[in-house]
Amino acid sequence: MFLESLPLAFQPGQSEGLNAVYHFSFSGDENLEGTVTIRNKSLTVRKGLEGKADLRVTADSQTWIKFLAKEINLVKALVTRKIKIKGSPKLMMAFAKCFP
């Protein structure tokens, strides 16, 4: 449901200057992979991993849901390795800025 909800929540004005490809891989209760591209104030979401990612996010699906609901701190999730990122943390912050 995370990937499907992104187009509804996307704030194009908040993505000014952001040109990045994100790969998301979720495991646990819900296994899913998706590619999110933000470029020229537009958003594209595709199932599966396509192209080269600027940032890869690998997460336990339940931990990701808790992170989105602000029930768990990103730093704690990273330290416990429930969420792993490969790439610049700044891209993660830029991504979050695009979705209130």
Side-chain angles (χ1 to χ4, degrees):
M1 184 144 170
F2 165 69
L3 293 175
E4 291 85 5
S5 69
L6 290 177
L8 300 172
F10 182 63
Q11 300 292 308
Q14 296 297 322
S15 70
E16 177 112 25
L18 178 59
N19 292 303
V21 175
Y22 298 85
H23 281 174
F24 289 92
S25 297
F26 299 107
S27 61
D29 291 343
E30 298 179 42
N31 292 312
L32 178 68
E33 292 184 325
T35 301
V36 177
T37 304
I38 300 174
R39 183 166 283 121
N40 299 324
K41 295 185 182 181
S42 67
L43 173 78
T44 305
V45 179
R46 292 193 174 92
K47 289 187 179 180
L49 303 178
E50 296 183 7
K52 183 180 179 215
D54 297 297
L55 182 75
R56 291 178 71 68
V57 177
T58 305
D60 168 74
S61 58
Q62 290 302 312
T63 303
W64 186 255
I65 290 168
K66 289 179 182 177
F67 164 66
L68 293 176
K70 300 185 191 296
E71 294 174 8
I72 188 171
N73 181 296
L74 179 60
V75 174
K76 181 178 179 181
L78 290 170
V79 169
T80 60
R81 306 206 34 91
K82 296 281 188 171
I83 296 176
K84 300 172 196 167
I85 62 170
K86 185 175 181 183
S88 172
K90 289 181 181 180
L91 286 175
M92 184 70 161
M93 293 169 44
F95 181 86
K97 183 179 169 186
C98 297
F99 304 91

